[in-house]
């Protein structure tokens, strides 16, 4: 992964953690394991939503502030806010597929945004940077292209955007599926306190994937 200078200019205190896992079998049918993993993480996540109103919880407030530093689509919120909102409303997370369930559980447990992409579906190197505007993007669940906005923080490759507004919105093109065999998982932080939790999250994520899938993984840390 390459992180562009334009990103560091916006977020000089950020730390981005990535984990590459190869030769996976992401078609584990032991749904009970993943349901239990998510349920335990939902309980852990209660520590991040102790304040009323919801928006004043530090994890939520810090990411809302971060999203004011670049161009966003109206209503865009950090992925961790979306997960914590569900928990605060008493809504359980359903299982999707093993890799997604695992990174969602780590996201909730450690209060940090997590995401994942299928390496085989990418066109060249993965970048985190600032959109020039118009980068091709077909959102998950959509039927029409929704190009990136000029000045928006995006993950992208040579074909177009992969995630918009950090990992707020996922592209269909590179999403993790049951057929994914090679994946990159990413955990984001924008300050020192978040970075500490993100480091714990990536280490636990790596151990869980190593144990669950029996594969070797490679982690990387990116700082300015």
């Amino acid at each position: 992964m390459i992180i562009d200078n334009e990103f560091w200019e916006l977020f000089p205190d950020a730390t981005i953690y990535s984990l590459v896992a190869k030769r996976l079998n992401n078609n584990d049918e032991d749904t009970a394991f993943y349901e239990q993993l998510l349920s335990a993480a939902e309980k852990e996540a209660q520590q991040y939503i102790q304040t009323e109103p919801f928006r004043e919880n530090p994890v939520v407030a810090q990411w809302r502030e971060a999203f004011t530093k670049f161009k966003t689509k109206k209503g865009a919120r950090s992925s961790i806010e979306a997960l914590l909102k569900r928990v605060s409303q008493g809504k359980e997370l359903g299982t999707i597929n093993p890799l997604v369930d695992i990174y969602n559980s780590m996201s909730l447990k450690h209060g940090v945004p997590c995401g994942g992409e299928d390496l085989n579906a990418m066109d060249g190197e993965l970048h985190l940077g600032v959109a020039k505007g118009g980068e091709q993007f077909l959102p998950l669940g959509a039927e029409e292209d929704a190009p990136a906005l000029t000045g928006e923080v995006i993950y992208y490759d040579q074909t177009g955007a992969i995630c918009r507004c950090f990992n707020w919105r996922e592209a269909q093109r590179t999403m993790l599926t049951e057929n994914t065999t090679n994946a990159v998982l990413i955990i984001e932080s924008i300050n020192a306190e978040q970075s500490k939790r993100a480091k714990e999250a990536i280490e636990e994520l790596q151990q869980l994937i190593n144990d669950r899938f029996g594969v070797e993984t490679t982690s990387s840390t990116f700082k300015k």
Side-chain angles (χ1 to χ4, degrees), residues 150-216:
T150 303
E152 183 177 2
V153 170
I154 61 170
Y155 291 90
Y156 68 95
D157 62 9
Q158 291 183 23
T159 292
I162 286 173
C163 281
R164 293 180 56 183
C165 295
F166 283 90
N167 71 351
W168 159 68
R169 187 56 55 84
E170 171 85 50
Q172 291 185 36
R173 178 168 61 91
T174 58
M175 68 181 185
L176 298 175
T177 72
E178 290 81 1
N179 297 320
T180 296
T181 56
N182 298 311
V184 58
L185 304 169
I186 296 167
I187 299 181
E188 302 162 341
S189 64
I190 50 172
N191 59 41
E193 187 270 334
Q194 287 186 13
S195 179
K196 180 177 182 296
R197 288 187 279 111
K199 182 175 186 295
E200 293 170 352
I202 200 74
E203 290 172 352
E204 186 172 351
L205 178 69
Q206 183 170 25
Q207 189 64 55
L208 187 54
I209 289 177
N210 290 351
D211 293 346
R212 192 69 187 171
F213 295 97
V215 298
E216 292 187 4

Side-chain angles (χ1 to χ4, degrees), residues 107-126:
S107 184
L108 282 171
K109 181 176 180 179
H110 297 279
V112 289
C114 302
E117 307 299 333
D118 190 318
L119 284 171
N120 293 356
M122 284 187 197
D123 179 13
E125 194 76 48
L126 173 65

Side-chain angles (χ1 to χ4, degrees), residues 17-217:
Y17 297 88
S18 73
L19 182 71
V20 172
K22 296 187 174 181
R23 294 179 291 278
L24 293 156
N25 176 8
N26 196 35
N27 199 24
D28 187 347
E29 295 181 355
D30 184 6
T31 56
F33 172 83
Y34 299 101
E35 288 171 352
Q36 183 178 10
L37 192 68
L38 288 166
S39 178
E42 288 163 4
K43 292 182 176 66
E44 293 268 8
Q46 294 293 335
Q47 65 185 297
Y48 306 115
I49 47 176
Q50 297 294 310
T51 302
E52 289 292 343
F54 176 80
R55 66 178 181 274
E56 293 183 4
N57 286 282
V59 169
V60 174
Q62 288 171 15
W63 279 104
R64 286 198 181 189
E65 171 63 23
F67 273 42
T68 67
K69 296 181 183 295
F70 58 92
K71 184 69 174 178
T72 66
K73 185 175 180 179
K74 185 177 180 180
R77 295 283 187 261
S78 171
S79 64
I80 182 57
E81 175 174 342
L83 289 178
L84 290 175
K85 189 70 172 179
R86 288 184 64 86
V87 171
S88 73
Q89 294 172 341
K91 298 178 181 178
E92 294 182 354
L93 268 69
T95 59
I96 298 174
N97 64 60
L99 285 173
V100 174
D101 297 341
I102 287 172
Y103 80 61
N104 276 340
S105 70
M106 292 300 99
S107 184
L108 282 171
K109 181 176 180 179
H110 297 279
V112 289
C114 302
E117 307 299 333
D118 190 318
L119 284 171
N120 293 356
M122 284 187 197
D123 179 13
E125 194 76 48
L126 173 65
H127 287 252
L128 172 59
V130 176
K132 293 179 174 60
E135 285 86 349
Q136 176 185 328
F137 183 79
L138 182 63
L140 182 63
E143 296 182 357
E144 296 182 358
D145 197 47
L149 303 173
T150 303
E152 183 177 2
V153 170
I154 61 170
Y155 291 90
Y156 68 95
D157 62 9
Q158 291 183 23
T159 292
I162 286 173
C163 281
R164 293 180 56 183
C165 295
F166 283 90
N167 71 351
W168 159 68
R169 187 56 55 84
E170 171 85 50
Q172 291 185 36
R173 178 168 61 91
T174 58
M175 68 181 185
L176 298 175
T177 72
E178 290 81 1
N179 297 320
T180 296
T181 56
N182 298 311
V184 58
L185 304 169
I186 296 167
I187 299 181
E188 302 162 341
S189 64
I190 50 172
N191 59 41
E193 187 270 334
Q194 287 186 13
S195 179
K196 180 177 182 296
R197 288 187 279 111
K199 182 175 186 295
E200 293 170 352
I202 200 74
E203 290 172 352
E204 186 172 351
L205 178 69
Q206 183 170 25
Q207 189 64 55
L208 187 54
I209 289 177
N210 290 351
D211 293 346
R212 192 69 187 171
F213 295 97
V215 298
E216 292 187 4
T217 54

